[in-house]
């Protein structure tokens, strides 16, 4: 995301915190399609993703004033809200979506590992998104898989271990090493 | 409990990733409320990981979603219409007016204008009436602040020693009791007020943290007399914006 886009989202969130309904509509139009795609990734079924998107934006409207204290970039905050809402729904429906984790995981790995993103994706993955994709690409495959499972499926160390059929201790170590590597790689990218 | 830097970072990473669960998560959240250093570490990890959410191609949600949201948030019909229109439109509709307002697509125009002004000005803008032009050698950045139609209202020039010169190209007609307030809009953090615009010309020194690299956009909002009561941003509409461009 470009600095001026980030700045604009900040302005919109500040306005939404003051209950500016027009700014809220603008924030929706600027971010809904991204957050809907993200909700679909997690929840797979369209009607669930639509319900999640509704919950996400109601929460944004109600809690925008707490954004100032969050210290994170505006899209980070929106994604954090979105993750929480999607995971709430996932928990409510636990047991009914067994295949979604595996499906999703393959899908996500394919996206990350593809050497040939289509032009739309290339634009989407500029800047931080592209940097993260590159850095994830540099991780060992299982380290990457463990991190992706945890972040997208809200899994604990032991759940990731069960999914990957590996000992918990191993998964813990891999995730920690993977995260260390990610941080180093991303800060190298930041320094250019 | 006091944690060392490594432990803070490890826990923040686990919290942001989501692997910290149950009682450990609740204890961590209690500490988080007390400890700004911990909150910063979590925010840094959330910032690092959040692009994972943005790696799939955007998908348009159906209009019914916004309708349901606006009902539950009492957002008026007007906002709903704007958003609905925008979700159906691609690039040319009125729904995207806001993005033009914030200067995204007027960038090219601003660059041309700035270049002309710096070079000494086309007809209508004589060098001696434009403070940045006379000593353009010294200007490091220029911003042409314009309305949503790309019509410039103010030119700002920045010299190497952080001095900004502002010149209003015209005085907009404002309702009684309203004034213009200038903002530096950062890439991170809340907008910073650069004060009110009451005269045709003004000079100011950029406060720390508001140089173009840190705050790439200038914005002018319409505020009640005395300026926005909200220290973290405009309270009135943002009517004009412009990006800093290297001169």
């Amino acid at each position: 995301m470009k600095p001026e886009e980030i700045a604009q989202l900040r302005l919109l969130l500040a306005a939404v915190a003051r209950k500016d309904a027009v700014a809220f509509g603008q924030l929706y139009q600027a971010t809904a399609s991204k957050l809907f795609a993200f909700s679909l990734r997690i929840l797979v079924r369209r009607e669930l993703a639509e319900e999640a998107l509704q919950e996400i934006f109601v929460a944004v409207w109600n809690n925008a004033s707490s954004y100032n204290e969050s210290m994170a970039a505006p899209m980070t905050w929106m994604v954090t809200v979105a993750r929480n809402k999607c995971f709430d729904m996932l928990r409510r429906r636990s047991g009914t979506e067994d295949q979604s984790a595996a499906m999703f995981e393959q899908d996500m790995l394919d996206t990350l590992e593809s050497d040939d993103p289509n032009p739309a994706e290339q634009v989407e993955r500029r800047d931080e998104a592209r940097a993260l994709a590159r850095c994830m690409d540099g991780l060992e495959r299982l380290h990457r898989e463990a991190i992706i499972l945890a972040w997208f499926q809200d899994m604990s160390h032991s759940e990731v271990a069960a999914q990957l059929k590996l000992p918990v201790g191993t998964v813990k170590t891999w995730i920690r090493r993977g995260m260390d590597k990610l941080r180093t790689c991303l800060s190298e990218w930041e320094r250019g | 409990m006091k944690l060392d830097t490594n432990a803070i970072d490890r826990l923040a990473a686990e919290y942001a990733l989501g692997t910290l669960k149950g009682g450990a998560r609740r204890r961590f959240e209690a500490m988080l409320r007390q400890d700004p250093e911990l909150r910063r570490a979590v925010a840094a990890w959330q910032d690092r990981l959040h692009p994972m959410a943005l790696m799939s191609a955007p998908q348009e949600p159906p209009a019914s979603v916004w309708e349901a949201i606006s009902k539950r948030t009492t957002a008026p019909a007007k906002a709903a219409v704007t958003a609905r229109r925008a979700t159906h439109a691609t690039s040319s509709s009125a729904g995207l007016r806001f993005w033009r307002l914030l200067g995204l697509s007027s960038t090219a125009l601003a660059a041309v204008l700035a270049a002309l002004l710096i070079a000494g000005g086309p007809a209508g803008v004589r060098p001696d009436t434009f403070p940045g032009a006379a000593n353009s050698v010294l200007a490091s950045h220029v911003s042409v602040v314009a309305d949503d139609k790309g019509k410039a209202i103010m030119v700002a020039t920045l010299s190497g020693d952080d001095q900004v010169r502002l010149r209003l190209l015209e005085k907009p007609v404002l309702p009684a009791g309203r004034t213009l307030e200038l903002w530096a809009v950062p890439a991170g953090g809340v907008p910073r007020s650069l004060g009110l615009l009451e005269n045709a010309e003004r000079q100011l020194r950029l406060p720390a943290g508001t140089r173009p690299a840190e705050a790439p956009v200038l914005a002018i909002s319409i505020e009640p007399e005395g300026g926005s009561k909200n220290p973290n941003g405009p309270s009135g509409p943002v009517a004009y914006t412009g990006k800093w461009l290297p001169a």
Side-chain angles (χ1 to χ4, degrees):
Chain A
M1 209 176 259
K2 292 186 221 129
E4 62 270 21
E5 288 176 280
I6 296 172
Q8 285 149 7
L9 286 183
R10 268 184 196 280
L11 276 178
L12 286 178
L13 273 174
V16 172
R18 297 189 309 269
K19 302 294 177 203
D20 179 334
V22 175
F24 185 51
Q26 289 158 343
L27 184 68
Y28 182 86
Q29 79 190 46
T31 58
S33 62
K34 290 176 190 161
L35 295 178
F36 187 53
F38 175 50
S39 307
L40 265 174
R41 280 252 183 208
I42 294 183
L43 296 165
V44 183
R45 281 168 49 195
R46 275 190 89 84
E47 68 274 21
L48 294 184
E50 287 172 17
E51 199 183 326
L53 191 64
Q54 206 188 111
E55 296 302 325
I56 292 162
F57 275 91
V58 171
V60 165
W61 174 257
N62 290 332
N63 301 317
S65 55
S66 72
Y67 165 65
N68 279 347
E69 290 109 68
S70 82
M71 303 188 194
M75 204 57 201
T76 300
W77 185 76
M78 305 268 299
V79 165
T80 305
V81 173
R83 268 182 93 218
N84 289 338
K85 291 296 164 195
C86 287
F87 292 158
D88 282 350
M89 294 196 52
L90 215 52
R91 271 193 289 275
R92 260 187 277 145
R93 314 210 141 229
S94 61
T96 62
E97 305 290 326
D98 279 341
Q99 85 290 20
S100 74
M103 254 176 62
F104 161 79
E105 182 197 329
Q106 200 45 54
D107 194 17
M108 195 65 210
L109 287 171
D110 290 348
T111 308
L112 280 169
E113 282 167 3
S114 162
D115 292 328
D116 181 31
N118 67 46
E121 269 178 349
Q122 248 168 353
V123 173
E124 229 13 73
R125 281 205 246 158
R126 317 171 32 116
D127 306 335
E128 315 107 303
R130 175 177 289 196
L132 183 63
R134 283 220 178 123
C135 290
M136 294 281 286
D137 224 19
L139 300 182
E140 284 175 45
R141 193 172 185 283
L142 283 168
H143 294 197
R144 174 169 62 234
E145 215 168 315
I147 289 173
I148 287 175
L149 277 174
W151 197 81
F152 274 97
Q153 299 293 323
D154 196 29
M155 284 186 184
S156 64
H157 286 130
S158 48
E159 286 166 327
V160 173
Q163 180 88 17
L164 297 180
K165 301 186 176 60
L166 288 163
V168 180
T170 308
V171 163
K172 260 189 183 172
T173 311
W174 284 0
I175 287 182
R176 190 154 76 224
R177 278 195 203 143
M179 295 286 273
D180 281 345
K181 260 186 125 172
L182 265 190
R183 187 187 41 200
T184 309
C185 174
L186 287 169
S187 64
E188 274 165 14
W189 173 82
E190 257 171 46
R191 283 198 298 272
Chain B
M1 184 167 66
K2 192 67 198 163
L3 296 168
D4 68 40
T5 320
N6 282 338
I8 285 178
D9 194 68
R10 192 167 46 77
L11 282 170
E14 285 193 21
Y15 179 79
L17 185 63
T19 46
L20 198 64
K21 301 271 192 231
R25 188 174 190 87
R26 282 191 294 277
R27 281 193 296 282
F28 185 78
E29 279 174 343
M31 288 164 66
L32 212 51
R33 281 191 285 275
Q34 313 287 329
D35 189 342
E37 197 191 342
L38 223 50
R39 284 204 294 279
R40 252 191 301 279
V42 167
W45 271 112
Q46 287 172 333
D47 272 337
R48 286 181 197 119
L49 296 175
H50 91 277
M52 276 206 268
L54 309 174
M55 286 180 188
S56 23
Q59 301 251 355
E60 287 305 335
S64 58
V65 176
W66 173 255
E67 279 155 23
I69 293 167
S70 61
K71 260 183 214 141
R72 290 173 64 190
T73 57
T74 66
K78 189 182 159 207
V81 168
T82 314
R84 246 201 326 271
R85 205 163 43 210
T87 48
H88 289 300
T90 46
S91 61
S92 65
S93 97
L96 293 179
R97 196 176 139 264
F98 177 75
W99 297 104
R100 283 209 304 275
L101 177 70
L102 282 175
L104 270 192
S105 52
S106 57
T107 310
L109 174 67
V112 169
L113 258 175
L116 287 171
L117 290 166
I118 282 293
V125 186
R126 296 192 314 277
D128 59 325
T129 64
F130 174 61
N135 48 7
S136 60
V137 189
L138 297 173
S140 71
H141 288 78
V142 181
S143 174
V144 179
V145 181
D147 69 10
D148 61 331
K149 299 187 183 64
K151 184 171 167 11
I153 181 185
M154 188 187 79
V155 179
T157 53
L158 174 66
S159 55
D161 55 354
D162 292 341
Q163 288 293 327
V164 180
R165 297 195 207 200
L166 306 171
R167 183 180 176 85
L168 280 175
L169 301 174
E170 64 175 271
K171 187 95 180 149
V173 182
L174 295 174
R178 298 279 140 172
T179 185
L180 298 176
E181 185 163 3
L182 181 65
W183 300 88
V185 186
V190 293
R192 281 274 293 275
S193 175
L194 298 177
L196 303 180
L197 298 170
E198 285 167 326
N199 303 311
E201 285 185 38
R202 217 189 111 196
Q203 282 205 32
L204 64 100
R205 176 179 283 275
L206 276 186
T210 61
R211 292 203 185 107
E214 300 147 324
V217 175
L218 289 178
I220 298 174
S221 66
I222 299 171
E223 300 290 343
E225 245 165 301
S228 172
K229 296 279 182 290
N230 176 1
N232 294 324
S235 67
V238 173
Y240 310 94
T241 57
K243 272 202 285 187
W244 279 119
L245 302 165

